[in-house]
């Protein structure tokens, strides 16, 4: 399972765009990239998933370059409620679909 | 966290005591997982079950046993609890969300071992 590297923490202000980059140099051909969000005292919550290029949903965008060795989660116009830990994971969709969590990035959004 | 329930929500044990954490899903999915999360850390996979009747070790299986007796339930047992097992335990299922493959997590069980 590919290991990921993310910044430990980031600070931002309300209304700004936040970009969190994740490095996954050993990503395998069949691996997908998935981002989760976790609030204190809750389980992680799925944000977005992609394989290559760009994926966008109602809460975020995911940018994946052609070599797929990194990915960037983009949160547009963050609010205080976006303060959370964000995890980047890679894994393939085989029968087990094991996911390995790193330490994540702690995002603090200030007023 | 509708669809995945965990019991109990909170438990205090003394060193050496045993207990079973319960997880149940009503979403009819095959794969289920147990994770632990220590303060300030990411989640670590303890055991998983790809389908009913099968279980496999994850990253940190020592000190735990699991049981997948039916498709709906996946339990985690601590035979002799140790203070190092103080943690928050999350159960998850593999599911499809927004047309994508992902894991859906329960609310967690907070375990304190004295």
């Amino acid at each position: 399972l590919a290991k990921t590297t993310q910044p430990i923490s980031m600070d931002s202000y309300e209304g700004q765009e936040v970009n969190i980059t994740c490095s996954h140099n050993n990503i395998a051909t069949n691996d997908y990239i998935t981002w989760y969000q976790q609030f204190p005292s809750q389980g992680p919550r799925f944000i977005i998933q992609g394989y290559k290029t760009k994926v966008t949903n109602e809460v975020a965008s995911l940018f994946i370059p052609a070599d797929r060795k990194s990915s960037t989660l983009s949160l547009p116009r963050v609010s205080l409620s976006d303060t959370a830990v964000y995890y980047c994971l890679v894994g393939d969709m085989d029968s087990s679909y094991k996911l390995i969590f790193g330490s994540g990035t702690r995002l603090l959004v200030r007023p | 966290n509708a669809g995945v329930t965990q019991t109990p929500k909170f438990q205090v044990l003394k060193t050496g005591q045993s207990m079973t954490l319960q997880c149940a899903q009503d979403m009819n999915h095959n794969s289920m997982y147990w994770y632990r999360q220590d303060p300030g850390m990411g989640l670590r996979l303890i055991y998983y079950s790809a389908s009913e009747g099968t279980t496999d070790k994850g990253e940190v299986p020592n000190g735990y046993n699991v049981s997948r007796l039916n498709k709906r339930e996946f339990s985690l047992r601590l035979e002799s609890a140790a203070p190092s097992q103080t943690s928050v335990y999350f159960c998850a299922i593999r599911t499809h969300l927004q047309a994508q493959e992902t894991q859906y997590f329960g609310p967690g069980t907070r375990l304190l071992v004295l």
Side-chain angles (χ1 to χ4, degrees):
Chain A
L1 293 168
K3 182 179 176 182
T4 60
T5 303
Q6 308 173 229
I8 293 174
S9 63
M10 294 182 68
D11 280 15
S12 183
Y13 292 92
E14 279 191 295
Q16 289 188 331
E17 178 184 75
V18 171
N19 295 308
I20 305 174
T21 297
C22 177
S23 172
H24 27 81
N25 291 318
N26 296 321
I27 190 169
T29 302
N30 294 331
D31 285 343
Y32 280 71
I33 300 157
T34 310
W35 285 79
Y36 286 82
Q37 175 192 56
Q38 186 179 27
F39 297 114
S41 303
Q42 295 185 24
R45 186 175 70 173
F46 172 86
I47 301 175
I48 197 166
Q49 184 178 79
Y51 184 80
K52 61 181 178 181
T53 63
K54 177 183 175 182
V55 179
T56 298
N57 62 24
E58 63 275 9
V59 297
S61 294
L62 178 59
F63 299 92
I64 305 169
D67 66 5
R68 303 199 329 123
K69 293 184 182 300
S70 67
S71 59
T72 299
L73 174 73
S74 181
L75 304 172
R77 297 181 299 282
V78 293
S79 64
L80 297 178
S81 62
D82 292 317
T83 293
V85 179
Y86 293 82
Y87 295 97
C88 162
L89 298 93
V90 296
D92 65 31
M93 304 301 176
D94 67 5
S95 61
S96 67
Y97 189 46
K98 291 188 292 184
L99 295 177
I100 302 299
F101 283 77
S103 297
T105 297
R106 294 182 177 277
L107 173 65
L108 174 62
V109 180
R110 302 177 186 274
Chain B
N1 302 110
V4 179
T5 57
Q6 291 186 237
T7 55
K9 288 186 172 60
F10 182 73
Q11 182 72 48
V12 179
L13 292 178
K14 294 181 179 178
T15 297
Q17 287 185 317
S18 63
M19 79 161 294
T20 299
L21 283 66
Q22 305 286 354
C23 175
Q25 53 131 342
D26 60 5
M27 301 171 77
N28 200 36
H29 289 284
N30 284 321
S31 299
M32 300 183 73
Y33 310 80
W34 274 107
Y35 293 87
R36 61 175 289 176
Q37 185 173 34
D38 300 334
M41 305 292 288
L43 282 76
R44 290 184 292 170
L45 182 63
I46 305 172
Y47 271 94
Y48 67 99
S49 170
S51 61
E52 180 181 348
T54 68
T55 61
D56 287 285
K57 296 179 180 179
E59 303 171 82
V60 289
N62 292 343
Y64 305 94
N65 286 303
V66 290
S67 177
R68 182 83 184 274
L69 294 178
N70 54 59
K71 193 170 187 179
R72 185 173 174 273
E73 298 170 298
F74 188 36
S75 61
L76 179 71
R77 183 162 178 83
L78 288 71
E79 291 291 352
S80 179
S84 61
Q85 294 178 304
T86 292
S87 191
V88 181
Y89 291 85
F90 290 103
C91 175
I93 60 172
R94 179 180 183 178
T95 186
H96 299 282
L97 191 65
Q98 302 173 8
Q100 295 175 316
E101 197 83 14
T102 185
Q103 288 188 10
Y104 183 83
F105 288 80
T109 293
R110 283 154 184 75
L111 176 65
L112 174 62
V113 183
L114 301 175

